[in-house]
């Protein structure tokens, strides 16, 4: 990790924390998202896939960093915090003991910066094992949050559905965005770069403050193969695992190349086959896989990079996917690995510097934490970080408003109208979650 500048002011010493993890009856954590209590839009934390993962609420500690050194500052803060913590861990699995949920802005210059949040209460489940972690300042009798022990873990009241939801164009209208795609294709064809990822946003308004828990539950019901996340008002369901670090093993799932299914099984099988043979999509995918493998190589003693991708079927799109794996060669944390991988070609392009410049010029918006790393880290440095895709950010000053995002990889063979249709398909998860009726 890059160290902080010597002249940068350092924050006051952190108050020591005590973290206690105890076993929990797995049946109590069968539905993790149902355990989240009603609170403000920024309070819920989630990293859940197919019923397993972590949820948290309350704030025992938090830190915000910005600028080019945001990853390094968050890493230093976390190491200092866990270095002084008193940890009583009766479970000893990745994700037990003190845990921080985090999300980091795509761009170094974004006002969104990066955030690590240490909840007062975390409930986790892996297979048939579950646990409860409580965190509080040293000397406090118990956390401020209302779940002091396993007997108090229970489902909460159902969240209210959004009402009066309306969508409006964000930074660019559909027509202006397709013009930006056409310009990007022209620059690629002229040899200025190989690939660029262009994103678009929609503005969302509702008649009442949005309850993040509603969005999480709807996303988990409809997209169970994704990681359903929430950190500090950023909420979504990402199919892309940027990096997992677990007891010396490192894995990353790369997605690039997309086609929209029709709902007809026979036709969709044919579409999947065509996606796997598409030179345009294979080229886009190869750039993304190469960027991930190159970033992980300095930290791994050996790596497995499959020669060909597989087709990942989601309910609204199909992707070309490749799982890259390696054996960790050093003590680099999951957050530091995420920093090394960001931004991959899957959300930026190739070459990175040229693609980033085109994004800045043509998107006409601040991505905020969209397309940045989102996930969690524990005291040992293990953790999981995805790319914040299929997501939206609740406005911190007005929880009845949010922005939702989608992006597409542009290469020489891209057609602007097709890319607009793809971006619309990628907006469907959040649009549906915001407008779905109660089951």
């Amino acid at each position: 990790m890059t160290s902080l500048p010597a002249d940068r002011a350092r924050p006051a010493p952190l108050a020591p924390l005590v973290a206690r993890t105890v076993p929990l009856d797995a049946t109590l954590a069968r539905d993790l998202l149902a355990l989240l209590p009603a609170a403000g839009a920024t309070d819920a934390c989630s990293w859940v896939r197919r019923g397993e993962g972590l949820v948290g609420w309350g704030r025992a500690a938090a830190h915000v960093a910005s600028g080019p050194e945001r990853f390094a500052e968050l890493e230093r803060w976390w190491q200092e915090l866990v270095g002084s913590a008193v940890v009583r861990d009766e479970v000893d699995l990745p994700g037990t003991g003190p845990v921080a949920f985090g999300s980091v802005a795509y761009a170094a210059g974004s006002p969104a910066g990066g955030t690590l949040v240490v909840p007062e209460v975390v409930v986790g489940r892996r297979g048939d094992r579950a646990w409860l972690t409580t965190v509080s300042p040293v000397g406090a009798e118990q956390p401020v949050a209302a779940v002091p022990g396993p007997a108090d873990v229970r489902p909460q009241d159902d969240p209210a559905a959004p009402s009066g939801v309306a969508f409006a164009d964000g930074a660019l209208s559909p027509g202006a965005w397709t013009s930006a795609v056409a310009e990007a294709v022209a620059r690629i064809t002229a040899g200025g770069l190989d690939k660029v990822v262009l994103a678009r946003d929609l503005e969302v308004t509702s008649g009442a403050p949005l309850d993040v828990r509603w969005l999480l539950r709807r996303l988990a019901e409809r997209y169970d193969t994704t990681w359903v996340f929430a950190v500090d008002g950023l909420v979504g369901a990402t199919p892309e695992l940027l990096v997992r670090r677990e007891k010396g093993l490192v894995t990353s799932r790369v997605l690039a190349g997309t086609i929209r299914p029709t709902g007809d099984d026979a036709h969709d099988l044919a579409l999947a086959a065509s996606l796997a043979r598409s030179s345009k999509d294979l080229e886009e995918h190869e750039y993304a896989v190469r960027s991930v493998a190159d970033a992980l190589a300095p930290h791994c003693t050996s790596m497995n990079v499959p020669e060909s991708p597989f087709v990942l079927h989601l309910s609204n799109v199909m992707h070309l996917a490749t799982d890259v794996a390696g054996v960790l060669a050093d003590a680099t944390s999951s957050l530091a690995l995420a920093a090394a991988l960001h931004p991959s070609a899957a959300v930026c392009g190739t070459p990175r510097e040229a693609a980033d410049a085109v994004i800045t010029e043509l998107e006409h918006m601040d991505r905020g934490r969209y397309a940045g790393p989102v996930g969690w880290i524990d005291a040992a440095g293990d953790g999981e970080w995805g790319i914040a895709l299929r997501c939206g950010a609740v406005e911190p000053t007005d929880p009845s408003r949010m922005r939702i995002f989608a992006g597409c990889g542009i290469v020489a063979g891209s057609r602007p109208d097709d890319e607009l249709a793809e971006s619309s398909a990628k907006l469907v998860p959040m649009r549906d979650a915001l407008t779905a009726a109660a089951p």
Side-chain angles (χ1 to χ4, degrees), residues 22 24-26 28-33 35-36 45-48 51-57 95 101 119-126 129-134 147 149-150 152-154:
V22 297
L24 189 66
D25 184 343
L28 298 175
R30 187 165 43 217
D31 186 351
L32 290 171
L33 296 175
L35 303 177
L36 289 167
C45 290
S46 170
W47 182 262
V48 175
E52 297 189 11
L54 303 167
V55 294
W57 57 93
F101 292 78
E120 293 168 336
V121 178
V122 173
V123 180
R125 184 167 78 83
R126 173 179 291 208
R129 300 188 69 182
W131 60 90
L132 168 70
T133 299
T134 54
V147 186
D152 298 284
V153 174
R154 58 175 62 92

Side-chain angles (χ1 to χ4, degrees), residues 64-249:
V64 177
S66 60
E69 302 299 325
R70 61 200 185 285
F71 286 99
E73 184 178 337
L74 291 171
E75 172 86 3
R76 181 185 59 77
W77 178 84
W78 177 242
Q79 294 301 330
E80 183 180 344
L81 187 74
V82 298
S84 65
V86 178
V87 180
R88 301 164 184 164
D89 187 350
E90 300 177 23
V91 179
D92 192 26
L93 287 173
T96 63
V99 168
F101 292 78
S103 62
V104 185
Y106 171 84
S110 172
T115 303
L116 286 181
V117 176
V118 183
E120 293 168 336
V121 178
V122 173
V123 180
R125 184 167 78 83
R126 173 179 291 208
D128 60 356
R129 300 188 69 182
W131 60 90
L132 168 70
T133 299
T134 54
V135 181
S136 59
V138 168
E141 292 184 3
Q142 65 179 34
V144 176
V147 186
D152 298 284
V153 174
R154 58 175 62 92
Q156 303 295 303
D157 293 337
D158 288 337
S163 61
V165 174
F167 300 93
D169 292 342
L172 295 176
S173 68
W177 192 78
T178 54
S179 294
V181 172
E183 175 62 23
V185 171
R187 297 189 188 190
I188 292 168
T189 303
L193 66 166
D194 298 317
K195 172 190 173 182
V196 64
V197 179
L198 292 182
R200 55 185 287 240
D201 66 328
L202 292 180
E203 299 282 350
V204 181
T205 57
S206 65
L210 294 163
D211 192 330
V212 165
R213 300 177 304 154
W214 172 274
L215 302 177
L216 290 171
R217 293 194 195 187
R218 298 292 85 77
L219 290 167
E221 288 167 2
R222 298 185 176 208
Y223 304 96
D224 66 342
T225 60
T226 66
W227 288 267
V228 178
F229 62 86
V231 182
D232 200 29
L234 182 74
V235 56
T238 181
E240 189 148 359
L241 183 69
L242 182 63
V243 67
R244 175 190 292 120
R245 177 193 189 265
E246 184 174 323
K247 298 187 181 299
L249 295 178

Side-chain angles (χ1 to χ4, degrees), residues 101-102 167 243 311 315 329 393 400 423 434:
F101 292 78
F167 300 93
V243 67
V311 177
S315 60
S400 67
S423 71
L434 284 159

